[in-house]
Each structure stands twice: as structure tokens, then as C-alpha cells.
Amino acid sequence: MAQSFLPHSAQSGADTKTRGEGVVMAEMDPESATHTEAMVEEEEPFFSNLDLFLFSLIIGIIIYWFMSRKKPEPIPEFKKLDTPAPTTRETSFIEKMKKTGKNIIVFYGSQTGTAEEFANRLSKDAQRYGMKGMAADPEEYSMGELSRLSEIENSLAIFCMATYGEGDPTDNAQDFYDWLQENDDEDLSGLNYTVFALGNKTYEHYNAMGKYVDKRLAELGAKRIFDLGMGDDDGNLEEDFISWREQFWPAVCEHFGVEASGDDSSIRQYELKVHTDLNMNKVYSGEIGRLKSFEVQKPPFDSKNPFLAPVTVNRRLNKAGDRHLMHLELDITGSKIRYESGDHVAVFPTNDTGLVNRLGEVLGVDLDVVISLNNLDEESNKKHPFPCPTTYRTALTHYLDITNSPRTNVLYELAQYASDTKEQENMRKMASSSPEGKALYQSWVLDSSRNILAILEDMPSLKPPIDHLCELLPRLQARYYSIASSSKVHPNSIHICAVVVEYETKTGRVNKGVATNWLKNKLVNGHKSTVPMYIRKSQFRLPFKATNPVVMIGPGTGIAPFVGFIQERGWLKQQGKEVGETVLYFGCRHKNEDFIYQEELEEAEKNVVLTQLNVAFSRDQEQKVYVQHLLKKNKEDLWKLIHSDNAHIYVCGDASHMAKDVQTAFHEIAEEVGGMTRTQATDYVKKLMTKGRYSQDVWS
Amino acid sequence: MSVEKMETTSMSNGAANAYEEKENTLSPEDLSEMLAAGTKEVHEKAENTQFVKDFLRGRIRKELFKLGAVALYHTYTAMEEEIERNKDHPQFAPLYFPTELNRHESLARDLEYFYGPEWKSQVSCSEATQRYVDRIHQVGREDPVLLVAHAYTRYMGDLSGGQVLKKVAQRALKLPPTGEGLEFYQFDGIHSAKAFKQLYRSRMNELELDVDTKKRLVDEAVKAFHFNMEVFDELEEMGKTIQEDVLDAGMPVHGATGGDISKCPYYAAQMAASGGTAYACQLAMAVLRHPTGQVLVATWFAALAGLVAWYLM
């Protein structure tokens, strides 16, 4: 460029028409100068072309330079953001849905963001089922358009409504609430909807908003396509939501006749990875938490790190009869585990090997392949559904629940693998929310006690891949037993009293309880015959003062914690302490069959540790005699103990019948001996519970 | 921050009958019932302080929450120290449940989460908290039975409404679901809060106390509530001088764009949807902002200028 520089143009600042570039060059580079006068005179035409070229090039540079200088200007625009009011904001959700091809809209009434989060998750779910959803804040849209949803094919409105304060709507749902209340003549017959309510049971107006929306929309003619979901923040809101959601989507698919998947592959949560060359040191073989935590045991022991306790005693308690009641003792020496009578011991059982093998046969797979199931959602905290890498055998034995009846969502997801149309149809039907579907599920699955193996056997065309099945089955849960020993007497041993669960189902199969059968088969001091366990503290406790009278009611295996209580009171007496009335009400079927712990109890009675031993033998005479009948027989004595002597009442055992019958007996005693009305009696007992003088450790 | 829910059911009032005439050992003399009745009014007052009301609505600023945790740490450290000192005292022993109840270690972990490993040197005891702490130490040393009132006020509250506060705090402050920062609210040794409260009440009622002592206990519990409310008020005051931090990202949708609305895909889509010319302008501006675009435009202009000049020659 310097070569075409004309010396004289360095001085003529004004003339830019033909010598423009010279002027610029002067501004930019005044010192450089070349002598090209000779060239100028000879090549006039070339020069003008070059001039033009340079001229435009320089203009280009100027423009570029100006553009770069402008860069800082966009920043002032930032201030405008403080008053955002995009005048072209879409307030019609119908238009928005049409434009973006959505058929499902999820409205949320949210104060602290939970309902909004649920709404977002639901709208994302839709695509798993071949549909498109969007979450929406009712405050931003004209809710009056709800009736227009019929304009969209297969449309559905889901409402995630949180209740606030005294049954009030959340701030962002106030307008919607008012609209619902005011418009009686609104016709919502084209609207398909469902509601999930979020609330907290400790508040009086639990889920009032959700319930109201569910009811009101129906009143206005809308069609409810799935039951109202109730989420309780006092319990576990997330679990409530997930359970509801799992049943909800299959029902939606059924309702719209939509397949869960566009093509035949379902949308999975996890991805299978088969390991071919993995060191077995890296493979889980049943540990709950840390790898090798079963080989190298380190305290403290808890639900993530159980202690492998050897079994020192495993004997049958009943003398006869077809049931098997058992007493086990677990050795906790060296574990640093402490417990108190009344606490619970949690054990991690494993499934029956025969059952696991049979599953492998029916599914036609090699169970000893090492695999991992990895979460496709990389942001999820849950990387795997159970500890991975592991084998199918380990997963089915240690980690997955294969004995409980599968839930409807499992049936729905497996349906696609049934090649027989009738079988597939039935699977889908049982997962739907139609009355016939629900009835079929109730009778064919629940009432017939069919577990997953039974379902696979009775639906021979159903051939799911084992990895998908492993994704769908729930985790195998720990089981809890009331400890039947006192730590004062047995500091290094934990005793368990349990009855083996075994029954014949309507299909002629024999179902066995997982934990009780596993415990029954534990060899005493056998090699590797250990029980992974930990202690869960309970609030079932003897009174602080040994002189306080106690009334213990525990028929059958409900006697467990009382064996510990009686041991403890015996120990206190041995220590020279004064011990108050210790009364036991026990019940069983036959005196010479299942009067468990008879020797121990009679010994305690002899030593006046147990001041009263009352036993009801239900089947030893023509009419049934239960503990509640014995309670009524001793009503005066009991009333004195409770009302005057400050006795504590403890009830342990069956929740559904026994606990209720016992409570009723106490109501009657309060009425008959205490002279109360039924209402007063009920309140009296309720108050005893609140003040911790009537405790229950019951199970169903 | 004790927000205990009232759980006692009201006794029904029957007409004169055998029950009414009998001396009942249950209603007015049980310490648990006297405490519940005696603190009912002050409990409502505490629930209605601005601090607590805001908290329940999810309006709690992180800095304030952290200062609240500091106050709790000092309170529980003092209380648990005095409890340990008096664990065998006949008028406290039945209520000694360190495994189930102790909070000062959980609070220490929460403070480490909020302030880092040097948290101890960074936190101090505020005035209102110090007054509360002093009273607890005084009671523990001079009149241990009154410790029951302080333990009742705090622990029963933590096991009741305190659970609600945990969930509110977790969402409002976007604390991790793994529980860091909220270990105070987590009672790992208690499976059922309801059952534990029942047990605790039965133990309170096992204490051998005369009527006068019970009355003094109720008064001390009311005092404890007042100490708590003073701490709330102090926090409220401190809150006024703290920088307002953005609680609920005002426009979370635009957060990722660095404030430049034209980068927001939604906005751009809006523009696209709402009209052609505006969109074209938008597009042009977008191009011009990009350096390569600038060079291309400049070159184009230069070429154009050149052509014009050539034509005119």
C-alpha cells in the first residue's frame, strides 16, 4: 500500500475525491512516504482503478472502525430490563399450545416452588408417552380459555395445586380461584383434566385447594380422567407424587388410546451396560452401601452399613401345630452396637434362591452376567437403581423385591413385551383407570397374590428383557422386628421372636415370606450364616421409675418386646430396686401348642417379677377367647391400676384387629367402672396416648 | 424458632356424672398439660412475629438464616452443657435423651457448611442470644429443675412445627436435597416424632414435683418463649441492614443470557412470531454485533462504494 502513496497528497487534506486514500494515509501514517511520481504519470488508467479499489477498501476500514467503536453502546440497553413488559406476550395458552404443538398443559399453584417443579417434571414426562407438554403459571394466562382446550386433539390439563395457610390458594393461583368461584355458568365439557394436590396433613385444611379445583371443574362439566392425587408434606411429598405419577401416565395412555412409545422401544430410565472383563473385586455381591463393606466391617453400623451378626440360637418356639414360630439370637459382640428394650432390629433379607433361578429360566437368561444400569438423566442423584456393577443374580437375590404383587405401572411398561394380543390387552387394561381394569387388577393380581414370577408363568407370551424388569421392580426393603431381650441382661445379644409366613394362594401356589423364611433357614454358628442388621431406636420404653405399674398386652409374636421388659424388671429387682406391678396379657391358639415362652413366663411369675400372667387360649374351647375378653374380666383391677396408680399401658402385635379391639375394651372399662360416657371414655384413652401412658408397637 | 402445634384434645364437658365428681389425676396436674396450657398464648405470639411469618411464606434470606443458625448453636450448646451437668439430677434424669435430642453437633456441621472450616472464628453470640444463654446457664447451675422448661420449649417445638420449617427452608434457600445446612432439623435417632413427644410427656409427668414447682416451670417456659422472640426480633433488625440478595431470581428465564434480552431464545422466538420487519431488524442488529459480521458488512460496503465510484468515473 505504501507504494502507491503520492508525496503531494500528504499536504492536500481537503481533496478526497481522487486522492482520498492519500488523505487517510496521511492521518494514519504521516511518516511513510514513497517516491512513485514516475509511476503516476505513466499509468493513469491503472492508477484510477487502483484508486477506486483503495478508496473502497479504506471506506470499508472506516466503517469497520466505526462499528468496533459502537460496541460499548449495547450496555445501556441492559437498564431497560428492569421494567420488562414485552407487549407482545402471549396470554392465550391455547394459541401457545397450538403454535408449539403441545397437547398437554400443566398449571401450577405454587408458593415455594414445589408445585412448579412437579409441573415441569410432568410436562417433560409427556414426551415419554409420545405427547408434548408445557408447564404454565395460571397467573400469566387467561384461564377463561379452559373450555377451548377441546380445539386441541387429545388435550389434557393437569393441575398441580398447593394449598397455603388456612386452605387458601397460593398467590399465583388467586385469580384462577376467584374465576372458578364466580363463573357458575361456565361450560367446561370439552376439558379433560386431573389434579395433584400438595399440602400438609398437620394443617386443618389439608389440600383444600387441590380438592376444590378437582371438585369444581367436575361441577362445571369437565371430564376427570384420573383420580385426585394427594401429596402430604408431613409424610413424603415426593413419594406421593411419584406413586401418583406412575399410575397416572398409563391411565392417560389408555384414555387416549396412545401407545407409550412411538416405535416398539419404550423410553427407559436406565441404560444397560454389560461388563465382559471386570475384576470381581469391583462387583457388588449384596452390600447395601460401600463396596466390600460385608468383608471389612467398620463401625458405626446403620442402615447404609449393617453389621453381619452371627446367629447363635435358632429354635422353634411352638410345641406343635402347622405354623412355625421361632426364637433367634444374634451375636453383636465387638460391634459396639447398643440397644434398649423396646427397640427394633432391622434385618436385610435375601430372596429364595429357587425363586431367583426360576425367574432366570422363565426369562431365558444367564443370571451371572455382570451388568450396570446407568441413569440416562445425568443430572439425577440416583446413578443406578441398585448398587452397580453387579450380576442379575445378585440383583434379584439381594436388591429387588420379587415377591410382592407388582404395581400397575410395572404391568403397563411390560405389556409391550407380550406377543399375544389378548395378553397384551389385559396387561394394559389392568394398568388403566377404568373400573373394569381396576377390578381385573384387583382380582387377577392382588386377590390371587400373583407375584412377578406368577405373572410371567401365567402369561407365557410375555417375554420382557431382564434389564428392563430390573429397572421396574422396587427395592427389597429391610424388615423390622421388636427386640425380645433386655440389654441389661443380654448386652451382646439381640433376640428375635417371629412367625414364618407361608400360605397357599388362589392359584394353588405357595407364597413364602422373604425375611421369615430366610431367618428360619439360618444355621446356628454356620459359616457365612450371618444376619446383616442394625438397630432402629423406638419410643416404646419402660417407665423411668421401676415402681410405676405396667400393663402389657401382646398376643402371639406381639409378646416380643415384653419378653425384654420382663427380663429388665427382673434385673432391676435383682439389683435390689423396688419394682411395681408388672402385668401381662398374652394370647395364643392352644395351650399345648403355641404358648411360647411358657417356661420363662412361669418362672418370672414364680419370682414375682411378673405379678400377673393372664393368658387367653382362643381355640381351646368352643367360643373364641381373646386378650380383650380377659381385660374385661379384670376391669376393676385394671381401672385401679390405670386411674389411680398411674399405670402405663403397652400394646404390641396385630394392628388391624387386636389393637382396635383392645382399645375398645379400655373404652368399655372406663365407661363401666369409671362411670364415663362413650365420648368421655374415648377422650380419656386418647389423652393417655398423648401423654405417653398408652403406647402401641403394632404392625399389619 | 419454636412453633409447636397444639396436640391436646379438649376434654368434653359432660353433665354432672360419676366421672366429673371423681378426683381426676389427669387434667390439671400433669406437668405436660400444664405446660401446654400455660404456653398456649405466648406460643401464638411467637408464631405471629414478623420473622416467623415471613419464614413460613418462604421469605427468608440466606444471610438471616445463617445468623439464625448461629443463634441456635449458642443456645443449644449452652442447654446441652447444662443438661449433661444435670443428667443424674432426680428432677431432670427421666428427660435425659442425648442420643435422640442433642443438636449442638448438627448445628456445628451446618455452620461449617455455611461459613466454611473457620466458622468458629467468624461467628459471634448476639446480645439477645447471650441473654438467653446466660439464663440457661444460671438455671442449670442454681435451679436445675427449671431446665425442664427450656428443654420442653425448644425440643418439643423442633419436633413439631420445626419439621415444617425445614422443608420451607430447603426450598426457599435452594439447599441441597442431601441435607447439608439443615442437619439441625434432622433427628436421626427418632423414628417417629409423634411417638417421641408422647414418651417425653410421659417422662415429664413422672417427675416428682409439687404444685408450686410445676407453676414455676410454666413461668420459666413462658420466659423461654420470650427469650426466643427477642432473638427473632433481633434477627429482624439485623436483616434490615443486610444487603438484599436476590431470593427468587426475578427473571430466571433470562439469567443465562447475561441480561441481553436479544440473546433470549424465547424473546427471539417472540420477535419472530410477532412480525417480519421487526424480525429483520433484529436479525440485522444481531449480525452487526458479531465481529465477523462487521467485517463482511464493511467489505460489502467497500465493494459497493468502489462500484459506485467506478461508475461515476
Side-chain angles (χ1 to χ4, degrees):
Chain A
M1 231 168 141
Q3 284 161 331
S4 52
F5 181 72
L6 289 172
H8 68 266
S9 51
Q11 285 112 29
S12 65
D15 186 39
T16 54
K17 198 153 194 248
T18 51
R19 309 279 185 235
E21 82 280 10
V23 175
V24 177
M25 289 309 286
E27 280 175 64
M28 293 169 83
D29 201 359
E31 263 118 42
S32 58
T34 50
H35 309 281
T36 50
E37 269 180 27
M39 268 176 77
V40 170
E41 273 138 37
E42 283 166 35
E43 299 170 30
E44 191 73 37
F46 164 76
F47 189 27
S48 64
N49 278 339
L50 209 52
D51 267 342
L52 291 170
F53 171 71
L54 292 168
F55 168 72
S56 40
L57 195 60
I58 286 158
I59 297 295
I61 290 166
I62 295 172
I63 292 172
Y64 183 99
W65 189 51
F66 267 104
M67 291 267 95
S68 348
R69 278 184 64 200
K70 274 202 172 107
K71 258 188 197 149
E73 282 181 23
I75 290 175
E77 285 176 32
F78 182 78
K79 293 205 183 97
K80 289 181 199 157
L81 268 178
D82 286 347
T83 51
T87 47
T88 47
R89 184 164 64 108
E90 185 69 85
T91 55
S92 164
F93 62 85
I94 298 289
E95 293 310 311
K96 179 117 186 268
M97 287 172 79
K98 284 182 178 170
K99 250 176 235 159
T100 49
K102 308 275 201 297
N103 63 315
I104 296 184
I105 185 160
V106 194
F107 292 105
Y108 53 89
S110 186
Q111 193 76 28
T112 54
T114 315
E116 184 180 349
E117 185 208 313
F118 286 1
N120 283 326
R121 285 158 75 179
L122 284 170
S123 68
K124 275 201 212 122
D125 282 346
Q127 73 169 37
R128 294 183 62 183
Y129 303 99
M131 294 179 275
K132 281 178 143 198
M134 60 174 276
D137 184 341
E139 199 169 42
E140 291 178 15
Y141 293 97
S142 325
M143 296 307 283
E145 290 200 331
L146 278 175
S147 52
R148 285 185 61 194
L149 263 173
S150 47
E151 291 171 25
I152 296 176
E153 198 187 325
N154 284 350
S155 64
L156 170 62
I158 308 175
F159 294 86
C160 286
M161 307 305 287
T163 301
Y164 193 72
E166 299 303 312
D168 297 323
T170 53
D171 290 345
N172 77 320
Q174 186 66 54
D175 293 339
F176 175 47
Y177 179 68
D178 295 337
W179 177 82
L180 280 173
Q181 290 201 300
E182 288 154 21
N183 293 288
D184 279 322
D185 50 359
E186 187 74 23
D187 177 20
L188 296 180
S189 46
L191 171 67
N192 295 315
Y193 78 96
T194 186
V195 181
F196 183 79
L198 291 82
N200 190 314
K201 257 220 203 92
T202 59
Y203 289 84
E204 200 185 321
H205 302 281
Y206 172 53
N207 277 337
M209 185 59 183
K211 285 184 194 164
Y212 173 74
V213 173
D214 183 64
K215 189 175 75 122
R216 184 65 174 151
L217 289 175
E219 276 170 19
L220 296 174
K223 181 155 184 235
R224 182 192 294 113
I225 66 141
F226 193 68
D227 296 333
L228 169 67
M230 301 276 271
D232 177 17
D233 208 9
D234 187 49
N236 192 325
L237 186 56
E238 172 73 16
E239 239 177 64
D240 291 339
F241 173 65
I242 289 180
S243 301
W244 176 85
R245 184 175 85 169
E246 278 180 351
Q247 323 285 324
F248 165 68
W249 284 113
V252 169
C253 292
E254 264 310 290
H255 182 265
F256 289 133
V258 171
E259 297 279 312
S261 44
D263 44 56
D264 275 315
S265 62
S266 151
I267 299 183
R268 300 271 303 269
Q269 236 195 306
Y270 296 91
E271 187 185 27
L272 171 67
K273 181 169 160 65
V274 179
H275 301 277
T276 43
D277 219 353
L278 201 53
N279 189 333
M280 288 314 274
N281 266 339
K282 302 234 168 58
V283 177
Y284 281 89
S285 49
E287 298 97 317
I288 306 300
R290 185 177 51 90
L291 190 61
K292 299 299 166 211
S293 58
F294 280 7
E295 278 177 37
V296 181
Q297 294 244 279
K298 282 189 251 180
F301 296 105
D302 53 36
S303 59
K304 303 247 170 37
N305 179 30
F307 174 70
L308 264 51
V311 178
T312 52
V313 173
N314 187 350
R315 65 182 169 92
R316 191 176 189 210
L317 279 168
N318 49 328
K319 299 187 178 86
D322 47 9
R323 294 188 306 163
H324 181 99
L325 288 103
M326 55 193 175
H327 174 93
L328 277 89
E329 294 183 14
L330 309 178
D331 186 4
I332 52 169
T333 317
S335 66
K336 296 206 176 72
I337 291 178
R338 308 264 289 273
Y339 74 97
E340 282 178 69
S341 12
D343 279 343
H344 293 125
V345 57
V347 306
F348 288 94
T350 55
N351 287 309
D352 175 63
T353 29
L355 190 55
V356 173
N357 282 331
R358 186 83 190 94
L359 262 178
E361 276 168 34
V362 166
L363 292 169
V365 288
D366 174 9
L367 293 177
D368 296 303
V369 179
V370 179
I371 54 109
S372 287
L373 283 175
N374 302 318
N375 201 330
L376 288 165
D377 178 2
E378 277 156 10
E379 286 176 43
S380 170
N381 282 328
K382 200 177 169 193
K383 296 261 172 289
H384 317 283
F386 44 79
C388 287
T390 187
T391 62
Y392 286 126
R393 187 181 299 282
T394 306
L396 291 170
T397 308
H398 293 262
Y399 300 134
L400 295 171
D401 177 356
I402 57 177
T403 52
N404 278 317
S405 293
R407 301 202 8 247
T408 53
N409 64 298
V410 176
L411 297 181
Y412 188 78
E413 297 271 339
L414 292 180
Q416 59 183 296
Y417 300 113
S419 47
D420 176 80
T421 32
K422 191 85 189 106
E423 286 183 1
Q424 189 176 93
E425 199 188 296
N426 278 334
M427 293 279 279
R428 292 244 159 85
K429 198 150 127 194
M430 289 191 283
S432 75
S433 58
S434 67
E436 314 86 54
K438 283 185 186 167
L440 184 60
Y441 176 74
Q442 180 70 41
S443 71
W444 198 79
V445 175
L446 297 178
D447 295 342
S448 311
S449 312
R450 281 191 164 87
N451 55 28
I452 185 65
L453 177 62
I455 291 174
L456 290 173
E457 285 176 343
D458 293 345
M459 290 218 177
S461 84
L462 180 58
K463 297 272 173 237
I466 187 170
D467 62 295
H468 196 175
L469 188 62
C470 285
E471 195 181 295
L472 294 168
L473 292 172
R475 278 297 292 266
L476 186 57
Q477 300 292 309
R479 266 61 166 174
Y480 299 90
Y481 296 95
S482 305
I483 298 179
S485 51
S486 159
S487 53
K488 302 283 197 299
V489 181
H490 302 284
N492 289 313
S493 184
I494 291 193
H495 300 182
I496 294 178
C497 165
V499 60
V500 171
V501 172
E502 199 169 311
Y503 59 93
E504 192 175 319
T505 73
K506 285 193 187 151
T507 66
R509 297 181 168 93
V510 175
N511 277 3
K512 293 187 184 173
V514 176
T516 49
N517 278 282
W518 170 80
L519 282 173
K520 177 181 173 203
N521 293 328
K522 282 291 171 193
L523 299 170
V524 171
N525 295 322
H527 174 58
K528 290 213 167 194
S529 181
T530 54
V531 172
M533 49 73 73
Y534 69 95
I535 301 296
R536 188 181 73 181
K537 291 187 88 60
S538 82
Q539 280 73 58
F540 203 67
R541 294 263 183 278
L542 275 168
F544 188 77
K545 292 206 293 264
T547 49
N548 258 330
V550 299
V551 176
M552 305 174 288
I553 302 153
T557 49
I559 197 180
F562 303 137
V563 175
F565 279 14
I566 292 168
Q567 283 175 2
E568 187 138 330
R569 285 219 148 177
W571 178 83
L572 285 165
K573 199 160 177 178
Q574 260 186 356
Q575 302 281 305
K577 300 245 175 18
E578 196 196 322
V579 176
E581 286 272 331
T582 307
V583 176
L584 177 68
Y585 283 86
F586 174 69
C588 63
R589 293 180 189 177
H590 298 284
K591 181 167 183 179
N592 50 11
E593 269 191 26
D594 55 356
F595 185 178
I596 56 179
Y597 299 108
Q598 180 179 7
E599 291 77 24
E600 291 89 336
L601 292 173
E602 286 174 351
E603 175 85 18
E605 199 185 9
K606 204 171 78 181
N607 297 334
V608 203
V609 172
L610 193 54
T611 52
Q612 260 189 61
L613 174 59
N614 306 292
V615 190
F617 302 106
S618 60
R619 300 183 191 184
D620 268 352
Q621 58 287 313
E622 211 180 296
Q623 78 279 29
K624 292 264 161 67
V625 177
Y626 295 123
V627 282
Q628 56 266 29
H629 302 126
L630 297 187
L631 291 172
K632 289 301 297 296
K633 252 198 358 209
N634 296 331
K635 55 188 175 184
E636 279 87 11
D637 176 54
L638 278 168
W639 184 245
K640 176 178 168 295
L641 281 171
I642 297 165
H643 199 60
S644 319
D645 297 345
N646 216 35
H648 284 224
I649 302 171
Y650 300 87
V651 180
C652 182
D654 167 62
S656 37
H657 304 292
M658 187 273 300
K660 283 204 177 64
D661 292 337
V662 166
Q663 225 179 308
T664 308
F666 279 111
H667 293 157
E668 289 170 7
I669 293 175
E671 280 173 59
E672 290 164 30
V673 188
M676 296 187 192
T677 64
R678 174 44 68 109
T679 323
Q680 285 175 329
T682 320
D683 279 349
Y684 183 85
V685 173
K686 228 195 245 175
K687 204 158 216 168
L688 284 178
M689 290 181 178
T690 305
K691 294 196 299 193
R693 277 183 47 205
Y694 188 125
S695 309
Q696 296 191 106
D697 179 10
V698 294
W699 53 77
S700 32
Chain B
M1 283 170 232
S2 66
V3 197
E4 182 186 355
K5 293 247 171 292
M6 299 301 291
E7 286 182 10
T8 50
T9 54
S10 53
M11 290 286 281
S12 57
N13 270 321
N17 58 32
Y19 176 56
E20 293 278 0
E21 287 163 18
K22 286 205 172 77
E23 180 69 63
N24 49 46
T25 43
L26 286 183
S27 47
E29 289 172 21
D30 272 334
L31 179 61
S32 66
E33 286 178 279
M34 286 174 72
L35 278 169
T39 56
K40 185 166 179 201
E41 198 185 311
V42 71
H43 176 271
E44 266 174 47
K45 247 199 242 162
E47 258 187 90
N48 283 310
T49 53
Q50 195 56 43
F51 182 78
V52 176
K53 282 207 290 208
D54 282 348
F55 198 134
L56 285 170
R57 281 195 89 94
R59 295 203 192 111
I60 175 75
R61 280 164 290 172
K62 196 157 192 179
E63 277 316 303
L64 222 48
F65 184 80
K66 284 157 71 171
L67 288 170
V70 174
L72 286 171
Y73 171 74
H74 287 111
T75 310
Y76 281 90
T77 303
M79 190 158 67
E80 283 156 19
E81 197 183 296
E82 293 307 324
I83 286 174
E84 194 59 32
R85 189 208 301 280
N86 289 294
K87 67 181 186 220
D88 292 322
H89 192 287
Q91 288 178 327
F92 192 85
L95 293 171
Y96 182 61
F97 288 104
T99 325
E100 286 91 336
L101 292 177
N102 274 9
R103 298 290 87 201
H104 69 275
E105 279 155 358
S106 317
L107 279 163
R109 285 194 292 271
D110 285 342
L111 290 181
E112 189 177 334
Y113 172 76
F114 287 129
Y115 291 101
E118 304 303 314
W119 62 272
K120 261 213 173 129
S121 55
Q122 287 174 17
V123 306
S124 60
C125 190
S126 74
E127 267 180 55
T129 311
Q130 191 60 53
R131 287 197 292 273
Y132 192 5
V133 162
D134 288 342
R135 177 62 184 162
I136 292 172
H137 281 305
Q138 184 181 30
V139 151
R141 290 175 190 140
E142 296 167 18
D143 204 352
V145 68
L146 295 182
L147 210 50
V148 172
H150 288 275
Y152 166 84
T153 304
R154 284 292 344 165
Y155 291 125
M156 295 294 263
D158 296 335
L159 289 168
S160 311
Q163 296 302 300
V164 176
L165 292 177
K166 173 188 175 181
K167 286 167 183 161
V168 173
Q170 191 163 49
R171 287 179 210 133
L173 302 175
K174 304 211 189 329
L175 291 169
T178 35
E180 284 99 333
L182 294 169
E183 290 195 45
F184 167 70
Y185 296 95
Q186 193 63 29
F187 286 87
D188 288 331
I190 296 179
H191 175 62
S192 159
K194 180 174 165 187
F196 186 84
K197 285 188 288 186
Q198 291 174 347
L199 174 62
Y200 204 78
R201 288 188 201 109
S202 78
R203 292 295 176 91
M204 280 198 288
N205 296 338
E206 279 199 67
L207 294 169
E208 280 162 19
L209 309 165
D210 56 37
V211 177
D212 275 336
T213 312
K214 287 181 190 171
K215 289 207 179 111
R216 284 197 308 129
L217 270 172
V218 174
D219 290 340
E220 187 70 22
V222 171
K223 254 208 207 114
F225 269 91
H226 281 124
F227 278 120
N228 277 290
M229 287 193 289
E230 278 172 33
V231 173
F232 300 159
D233 290 340
E234 194 188 48
L235 283 169
E236 189 72 22
E237 277 307 305
M238 290 197 272
K240 292 183 184 150
T241 57
I242 289 175
Q243 276 277 336
E244 185 73 53
D245 47 49
V246 185
L247 266 185
D248 49 348
M251 279 166 52
V253 176
H254 295 140
T257 63
D260 185 355
I261 199 165
S262 61
K263 281 199 193 136
C264 175
Y266 177 79
Y267 187 63
Q270 276 301 87
M271 296 287 97
S274 60
T277 48
Y279 184 63
C281 262
Q282 189 61 19
L283 192 59
M285 290 309 288
V287 169
L288 282 172
R289 229 158 260 148
H290 204 278
T292 316
Q294 291 166 3
V295 171
L296 286 172
V297 171
T299 315
W300 186 78
F301 257 100
L304 193 62
L307 276 169
V308 168
W310 178 81
Y311 181 78
L312 291 172
M313 294 303 160

